[in-house]
Amino acid sequence: MFVSWLEADTRTRRIALGDAAIAAGSMAAELALIVAVSVLTGMVWHELAYRDAGDIASYASVGAITGLLYTLPFLFRSQYRIDALTSGPRATAHILNVWTYAFFCLGALAFLTKTTGVASRGWLAMFFVIGGASVIAGSKLIEAAVAVLVAKGIAAPRRVLVVGNRDEVARFSRENSVTNAGIKVVATSLLPETIGSGETGESVVEKLIGEAVQRSRSLNVSDVVILSECGQTHAGLANIANKFLDLPVGVHLAKLPLTE
């Protein structure tokens, strides 16, 4: 048998939070944080400057608009997905760039709607500085929380089927785990190291990939990774990829880096 399967961990919950739930929760958490910082800084600034709390509803409105301007770029780039959050792609510089972009858009929106006089420049400066530090800290806390949820089986990482020869599949499975890549290898399709030419060799691969497609359905696989070192030509790799196109999965060709 050239096909073996890594069954899903039986200790994993039958129903776990997926990408949609984690994305919604993470985005809502960042929105709430930004609104809270907006209200807090607005109240503090107005108290220091005018000895009263000011218009809290106005602070909340500005915070909500800023929060949407900040979170939407991450949402559109799929950076609220479990694998994105657990692999930590949002560097501090990137977070600050998006935060600055959000304030730039906020200023442009205020200019176009002729509401530039509504907010104090002192408050906005305080909101920008404290808000920037808050979204950086909040992002790290969200990433840590999602990692814990994945480790406990409460959140489901990307469920991956890997196609390739035995050594390359073993290496991929070893180097790409829930803890460092936000993925879970739930199945593998092991192809022969050498495949004979002609119809016999092709029929072996066809059979193995057919079994892989069926198992992908039953295991609810979200992504298929086809290793380019599995002894297949470019046409052969394309043919394997085509077999999975009818499934609601992402199909990826991957080339592992050379070992030392």
Side-chain angles (χ1 to χ4, degrees):
M1 287 288 292
F2 291 112
V3 176
S4 66
W5 303 102
L6 301 179
E7 297 290 347
D9 189 345
T10 56
R11 294 173 298 174
T12 301
R13 297 167 181 262
R14 292 180 63 87
I15 299 178
L17 298 176
D19 274 329
I22 292 297
S26 300
M27 184 175 177
E30 290 196 320
L31 272 170
L33 173 64
I34 292 170
V35 171
V37 172
S38 178
V39 171
L40 180 61
T41 55
M43 292 175 62
V44 169
W45 176 262
H46 215 269
E47 183 66 34
L48 292 174
Y50 306 106
R51 302 302 179 186
D52 65 74
D55 187 357
I56 296 177
S58 176
Y59 306 148
S61 298
V62 171
I65 295 171
T66 307
L68 285 174
L69 292 171
Y70 172 78
T71 55
L72 286 177
F74 292 118
L75 180 65
F76 291 148
R77 294 177 183 176
S78 299
Q79 290 185 337
Y80 284 120
R81 293 190 337 187
I82 295 173
D83 56 336
L85 291 171
T86 51
S87 60
R90 296 200 291 179
T92 299
H94 181 48
I95 293 173
L96 288 177
N97 285 339
V98 177
W99 180 246
T100 303
Y101 153 82
F103 260 78
F104 175 81
C105 291
L106 180 67
L109 183 62
F111 175 79
L112 292 174
T113 57
K114 299 181 180 180
T115 56
T116 53
V118 173
S120 165
R121 285 177 291 182
W123 162 51
L124 289 178
M126 179 184 288
F127 179 29
F128 177 77
V129 173
I130 296 178
S134 298
V135 293
I136 291 172
S139 178
K140 304 307 178 186
L141 287 174
I142 289 172
E143 290 173 7
V146 172
V148 170
L149 293 178
V150 170
K152 292 182 176 295
I154 299 173
R158 308 290 292 179
R159 297 171 61 81
V160 176
L161 176 143
V162 185
V163 179
N165 64 49
R166 185 179 299 277
D167 291 340
E168 293 298 322
V169 167
R171 183 177 163 204
F172 179 92
S173 301
R174 183 173 62 252
E175 295 179 356
N176 295 273
S177 64
V178 169
T179 55
N180 63 21
I183 68 174
K184 185 182 183 72
V185 178
V186 295
T188 64
S189 177
L190 303 183
L191 301 181
E193 295 288 343
T194 59
I195 301 173
S197 60
E199 295 183 0
T200 302
E202 293 178 359
S203 64
V204 170
V205 174
E206 290 280 340
K207 179 181 178 182
L208 297 176
I209 298 304
E211 293 175 359
V213 170
Q214 292 303 316
R215 204 54 182 268
S216 296
R217 297 179 190 274
S218 63
L219 289 178
N220 194 27
V221 166
S222 58
D223 295 88
V224 175
V225 175
I226 303 170
L227 301 177
S228 61
E229 301 294 325
C230 61
Q232 292 286 312
T233 63
H234 290 297
L237 291 172
N239 184 53
I240 292 173
N242 287 336
K243 300 297 183 184
F244 294 94
L245 293 184
D246 289 335
L247 300 179
V249 301
V251 180
H252 314 277
L253 293 178
K255 182 178 178 65
L256 296 180
L258 295 175
T259 55
E260 297 181 357

